Amino acid sequence: MLQFKFVKNQVPLGIIEIMEIGVEMELNCELTKQVVDALQANNIDCYIVGGYVRDHLLGIKSKDIDIELHNTTIEEAYDVIAQVTDAKVFGSFGVISLTEANTEFAIARTEQKTGSTHTDFEVEFITDGNLKLAASRRDFTINSIMYDLQANKLIDNYNGIIDLENKVLRHVSPAFTEDPLRILRGIKFMARYNLKMDVETYELCTSIINELRFLPTIRVQNEIEAIFSSQYFKQVSWLLSEYFSSLFKDTLNQENDFNSNSDYNRLMFFKQFNNYEQVINFCYEQKTFKKDLKLALDNYDRYKNYEKLSGNEKYELLASSKHCLKYISHINPSVLNYYDKYLLLTAKYNGQYFMDLGIQGKAIKEAMKTKIGDELHEL
């Protein structure tokens, strides 16, 4: 593992253009080493990038390795790698994956946003070996540090080492705003490494918060789950709360049909909550209460208009409500009153009650539904 001590540097941030520190970093996988040797033998330059470098500087063991390739094409790189081991090419950016080695190789590129979704990007590959341009597409300075496997040295174009030392989370460039998921990624890094966010970065995050709604649910959900499982979650929970508050501020009172409004990507759940504290509480518990959420979502309209249901419909809905009472109370508080009555009625009209009337087997359930449903309807 890399042994590294931060070098104190009194030069103000933004003046250093390139800081190179001679240091030796070992790859943690023999197969990855063999592939890198083959690439370099074919004059393809290899640079470790992203989290592997960051975590090694912090003395943290990192499993996944991202290697950026310069002075090559995806076809040329794949041909070389395929001579060493099996590999797969995936994604529109042409990423070569060594699944067994937890390693990905990608051609150096720049990206420019062309639309509102996460796939609306125009990609241009870097062919002139411009390392600073390649690093400019990274989200935060602490993730922009590169390790040159040719010269065995760190290359820090955006002062990420200083920010890492000072525990500051800072965006690399204005292009940060092209991917709103970086807001949640930033909070995740703050929670994981106990960082504080730079003021300008905070302002950029705030300016694009509403664009989170256009992202696929799973991408947002993965980041939220990572935040709540991080060591320093409590220190950043206020920031996550603030972002959710901004996101839900304009939507909490809307009467759009939640289940059919794909623009809000079901993750946003705004129809279930009165305020953002409830959102945070839900997110924290969502691993435990996923089935409750699904039930609340699937029956949203029924909970909202509970009084309009027939007797049997009321019975069926209340019979399933025990799993998600905390959520449905924000949809229709009166359901809780009916639920209390439902519990009393189920205690009164239990299985023995119907057996005493001569009803047997599966017919008991239907009789119970009808009897209790009728009384609920009368209420």
Side-chain angles (χ1 to χ4, degrees), residues 68-73 107-111 123-137:
E68 191 171 85
L69 305 179
H70 285 254
N71 304 321
T72 187
T73 64
I107 308 302
R109 66 182 188 269
T110 60
E111 301 161 358
V123 176
E124 183 174 344
F125 293 106
I126 297 174
T127 58
D128 60 358
N130 190 329
L131 300 182
K132 185 170 185 178
L133 180 60
S136 69
R137 60 172 288 267

Side-chain angles (χ1 to χ4, degrees), residues 213 217-218 220-221 224-225 244 247-248 251-252 258-259 261 263-276 278-287 289-290 292-294 296-297 300 327 330-331:
R213 69 185 64 176
T217 298
I218 190 62
V220 179
Q221 192 168 21
I224 290 175
E225 290 183 355
F244 273 115
L247 186 63
F248 296 141
T251 59
L252 281 171
F258 178 79
N259 288 316
N261 193 341
D263 287 344
Y264 292 103
N265 277 305
R266 286 178 72 86
L267 175 76
M268 298 315 175
F269 311 145
F270 59 85
K271 282 288 190 180
Q272 301 174 79
F273 306 99
N274 292 326
N275 53 54
Y276 65 85
Q278 292 167 1
V279 177
I280 296 304
N281 289 336
F282 168 76
C283 289
Y284 186 70
E285 298 171 333
Q286 68 175 341
K287 286 187 178 180
F289 293 104
K290 275 185 178 178
D292 306 350
L293 166 68
K294 186 177 187 303
L297 289 178
Y300 171 77
Y327 309 120
H330 306 312
I331 298 171

Side-chain angles (χ1 to χ4, degrees), residues 29 53 117 126 156 158 160 175 199 230 245 259 267 317 328 368:
C29 175
V53 180
T117 72
I126 297 174
D156 185 11
Y158 295 96
V199 173
S230 298
S245 175
N259 288 316
L267 175 76
L317 196 61
I328 64 174
M368 184 181 298

Side-chain angles (χ1 to χ4, degrees), residues 306 311 314-315 318 337-351 353-354 367-379:
Y306 177 81
K314 290 181 179 180
Y315 173 87
L318 289 176
N337 295 327
Y338 283 96
Y339 186 75
D340 290 338
K341 298 294 184 181
Y342 161 82
L343 293 178
L344 292 174
L345 291 170
T346 54
K348 179 179 179 180
Y349 302 116
N350 56 23
Y353 173 87
F354 294 101
M368 184 181 298
K369 182 192 300 184
T370 301
K371 179 66 175 177
I372 297 176
D374 287 345
E375 295 205 16
L376 286 169
H377 194 69
E378 291 176 6
L379 292 173

Side-chain angles (χ1 to χ4, degrees), residues 126-293:
I126 297 174
T127 58
D128 60 358
N130 190 329
L131 300 182
K132 185 170 185 178
L133 180 60
S136 69
R137 60 172 288 267
R138 302 290 166 183
D139 48 8
F140 301 101
T141 60
I142 62 172
N143 297 328
S144 69
I145 310 166
M146 310 172 72
Y147 185 78
D148 185 342
L149 284 166
Q150 290 69 231
N152 292 321
K153 63 184 179 182
L154 289 168
I155 299 178
D156 185 11
N157 288 286
Y158 295 96
N159 305 314
I161 292 176
I162 295 177
D163 283 342
L164 202 57
E165 179 184 19
N166 294 329
K167 291 186 172 295
V168 173
L169 188 72
R170 190 190 314 275
H171 65 285
V172 171
S173 74
F176 175 89
T177 59
E178 294 185 346
D179 184 0
L181 189 68
R182 288 172 170 175
I183 298 171
L184 296 179
R185 281 175 54 81
I187 299 175
K188 177 182 69 177
F189 292 134
M190 293 169 69
R192 182 178 294 171
Y193 303 113
N194 195 22
L195 307 175
K196 56 182 179 291
M197 185 176 283
D198 171 70
V199 173
E200 290 186 10
T201 303
Y202 172 82
E203 291 174 351
L204 285 181
C205 287
T206 302
S207 71
I208 60 172
I209 181 62
N210 285 317
E211 294 182 27
L212 275 173
R213 69 185 64 176
F214 299 114
L215 296 178
T217 298
I218 190 62
R219 295 186 74 208
V220 179
Q221 192 168 21
N222 288 342
E223 297 299 335
I224 290 175
E225 290 183 355
I227 291 169
F228 285 112
S229 63
S230 298
Q231 179 180 2
Y232 297 102
F233 161 70
K234 290 184 178 180
Q235 283 91 316
V236 300
S237 59
W238 66 271
L239 188 57
L240 189 58
S241 298
E242 185 171 329
Y243 286 147
F244 273 115
S245 175
S246 299
L247 186 63
F248 296 141
K249 181 174 60 177
D250 298 327
T251 59
L252 281 171
N253 296 321
Q254 290 186 14
E255 291 301 323
N256 294 333
D257 177 25
F258 178 79
N259 288 316
S260 66
N261 193 341
S262 60
D263 287 344
Y264 292 103
N265 277 305
R266 286 178 72 86
L267 175 76
M268 298 315 175
F269 311 145
F270 59 85
K271 282 288 190 180
Q272 301 174 79
F273 306 99
N274 292 326
N275 53 54
Y276 65 85
E277 287 88 359
Q278 292 167 1
V279 177
I280 296 304
N281 289 336
F282 168 76
C283 289
Y284 186 70
E285 298 171 333
Q286 68 175 341
K287 286 187 178 180
T288 304
F289 293 104
K290 275 185 178 178
K291 63 179 182 180
D292 306 350
L293 166 68

